[in-house]
Every structure is written in structure tokens, then in C-alpha cells.
């Protein structure tokens, strides 16, 4: 079967790989569609050198169960259910946990063997393309639940890529006032469609000043979703006293917390438990992931898809890979 294999930075190739088998309790899932995530781009650029070579990429995808013919979303984290973290309701940190597309072979392949408990049925009203963009919705739900905003709280969301835009949408659903920050106007225009009350173009405006002016006392909540050192280091100056800051994804940087009186800072990366709710919200048309899809490629064109994501001229958001 064809699969997108990691061979090192800038060396991700479509290769012929052995087909997995439906052994034990696992069932075969035939790939329908998947989307490329910021994590995949970190690997492509060589930011994460610990990644083992020869692993099949992909952790956000849907397919068809070979045994039942059911359309399903594949959940990329498998947990044991018995360890310290699992027993505390924190399956993301399972000691024996496997992460498909990172520590184990992922979903950008014609077939994947999966445990049925890691498969979420897709309702008929949800397309394959929509089923391919589930991980950032689940993450946005998790982050907003952790922040537990009050109605009309100010939430500043730095970075309006696919993850930031979905945070904007979920924060708006929760009744927050959202300030969306990005360097690109096309992303900020979409942020307004996704429910942002105010937008700040950080290329033209001083983000801290703009946020302080809008909120008077600083933002009640801050979500850092751009993943740069500069934006991480900016967060203590955006949050109000005793506010909360979620650092999503890459969170390298030095936090000067001198003036961030009693603010709460935390990191969050992924969440396997919100997948069913993510599917439900998309099915109900409460969250639009289709609007994030800017490019579509076939599995054979995987390298072209990566290059497109690297090219700002293409104005990429979500790039979807189909069979
Ligand atoms: Zn991801
Ligand atoms: Zn566990």
C-alpha cells in the first residue's frame, strides 16, 4: 500500500509499505481523507529531531471500517486505562500511551489497523473532508473547557491558523468576547466570520497596546496558538491580573511573570476525549471546518501538499489529503 513516510527533515516520501493486518481485536480502516497539522510541519521542517525515521505520518483522518463498512474518525491516542494518569481521567498522558503519526505509524496510508474503541462513527451528514479535520476541534473544546470562561469574558487568541480559528469559534459559542490576533489579514477576515469581536493585525499594530485598550484591564483569558517564542513571551503582558493563559502547542520561551499578578499559565497539546463532541458539533453545523479547507491533494501528491503549506503566497489554512 502507499503511505507517507518520514525519512528525516524535508524528506517525507510516498512509499510502498506492507499492508497492516486485522489481527487480535484490531480492525482494518481504509483511508478516506486526512488533514495535515502543524505537528506534521514541525517534523517536515526538522524542529523535532527526536522523531524516529520510517514512521508513517498522519493523526487526523477518517476512513471506512473494512469489517462493517461504517464510516469512522480515527482517534490518534491509544491509552491503557489502568496507569496512574488513566485512572485519574487523564488518558492523554498515559504512561503506555501510543500516538499514531508520531510514535507509531499514523493515518496517511491506504490502510490502518485500529482498535474499535478508537473509532468514532461519522454521521451521514458529515462529509469525509469534514471528518478529516477533527483534532483541532477536539483541542479547542478542551482548551476552552480548561479556561472555563464566564459569559462575556475577553479572550485574546494569538494566532489565527486552523487551531486559533476554531478556538475563536468555540470561545464565541461559549459567550466570550474574542480578540483575534494574527499577522495576515485573510486569516483575520475569517476570524470575524468565526465570531471574533475585534481583530488585531500584529504587523501593523502593537498587540499589547490594542488588547489593553479594548479590555481596559487586560484580557481575562489568553490563548497562545501561534507557537512562536515571541508570542509566547508576550502572553504575560496580555492577561489581566489573576487571569488565565493557555499555551497551545509549541511553548518555548521565557515568561516574565513579574506583572502578571496571580495569573494561571498552563500548556495543552491534544485531547482524545472530546472527539465525539467534535463530531456532534460539526454534524449540527455549530462548527464549520469546511471553511478552513483551502487546498486538496491526493495521497500520491503528499510532498506537493507539504510545499503548499510552506508557501505563504498560497494563503494556506487546512490542507486535506484524499485517497
Ligand atoms: Zn495535530
Ligand atoms: Zn494509561
Amino acid at each position: 500500500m502507499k503511505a507517507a513516510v518520514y525519512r528525516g527533515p524535508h524528506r517525507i516520501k510516498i512509499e510502498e509499505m506492507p499492508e497492516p493486518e486485522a489481527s487480535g481485536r484490531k480492525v482494518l480502516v481504509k483511508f478516506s481523507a486526512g488533514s495535515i497539522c502543524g505537528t506534521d510541519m514541525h517534523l517536515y521542517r526538522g524542529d523535532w529531531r527526536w522523531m524516529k525515521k520510517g514512521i508513517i505520518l498522519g493523526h487526523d483522518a477518517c476512513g471506512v471500517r473494512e469489517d462493517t463498512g461504517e464510516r469512522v474518525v480515527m482517534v490518534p491516542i491509544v491509552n491503557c486505562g489502568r496507569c496512574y494518569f488513566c485512572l485519574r481521567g487523564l488518558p492523554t498522558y498515559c504512561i503506555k500511551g501510543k500516538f499514531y503519526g508520531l510514535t507509531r505509524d499514523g493515518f496517511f496510508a491506504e490502510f490502518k489497523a485500529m482498535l474499535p474503541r478508537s473509532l468514532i462513527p461519522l454521521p451521514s451528514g458529515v462529509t469525509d473532508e469534514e471528518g478529516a479535520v477533527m483534532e483541532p476541534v477536539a483541542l479547542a473544546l478542551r482548551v476552552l473547557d480548561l479556561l472555563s470562561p464566564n459569559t462575556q469574558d475577553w479572550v485574546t487568541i494569538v494566532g489565527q491558523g486552523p487551531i486559533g480559528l476554531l478556538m475563536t469559534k468555540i470561545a464565541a459559542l461559549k459567550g466570550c468576547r474574542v480578540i483575534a490576533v494574527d499577522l495576515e489579514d485573510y486569516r483575520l477576515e475569517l476570524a470575524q466570520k468565526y465570531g471574533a469581536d475585534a481583530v488585531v493585525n500584529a504587523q501593523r499594530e502593537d498587540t499589547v497596546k490594542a488588547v489593553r485598550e479594548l479590555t481596559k484591564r487586560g484580557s481575562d483569558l489568553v490563548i497562545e496558538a501561534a507557537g512562536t517564542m515571541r508570542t509566547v513571551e508576550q502572553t504575560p503582558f496580555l492577561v489581566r491580573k489573576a487571569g488565565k493563559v493557555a499555551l497551545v502547542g509549541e511553548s518555548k520561551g521565557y515568561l516574565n511573570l513579574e506583572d502578571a499578578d496571580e495569573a494561571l499559565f498552563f500548556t495543552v497539546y491534544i485531547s482524545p476525549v472530546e472527539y465525539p463532541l467534535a463530531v456532534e458539533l460539526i454534524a449540527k453545523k455549530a462548527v464549520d471546518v469546511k471553511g478552513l479547507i483551502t487546498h486538496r491533494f491526493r495521497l500520491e501528491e503528499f510532498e506537493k501538499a507539504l510545499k503548499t503549506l510552506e508557501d505563504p503566497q498560497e494563503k494556506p489554512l487546512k490542507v486535506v489529503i484524499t485517497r
Side-chain angles (χ1 to χ4, degrees), residues 35-40 59-60 99 135-136 139 163 269-270 318:
S35 67
I36 302 179
C37 163
T39 299
D40 303 314
H59 59 267
D60 200 3
F99 193 139
E135 189 214 0
L139 180 62
I163 289 178
Y269 304 106
I270 188 169
K318 262 298 179 205

Side-chain angles (χ1 to χ4, degrees), residues 46 49 64 80 119 125 138 157 196 214 216 309:
R49 301 279 172 144
V64 177
C80 74
L119 301 174
I157 304 173
L214 281 161
K216 312 293 183 242
L309 265 170

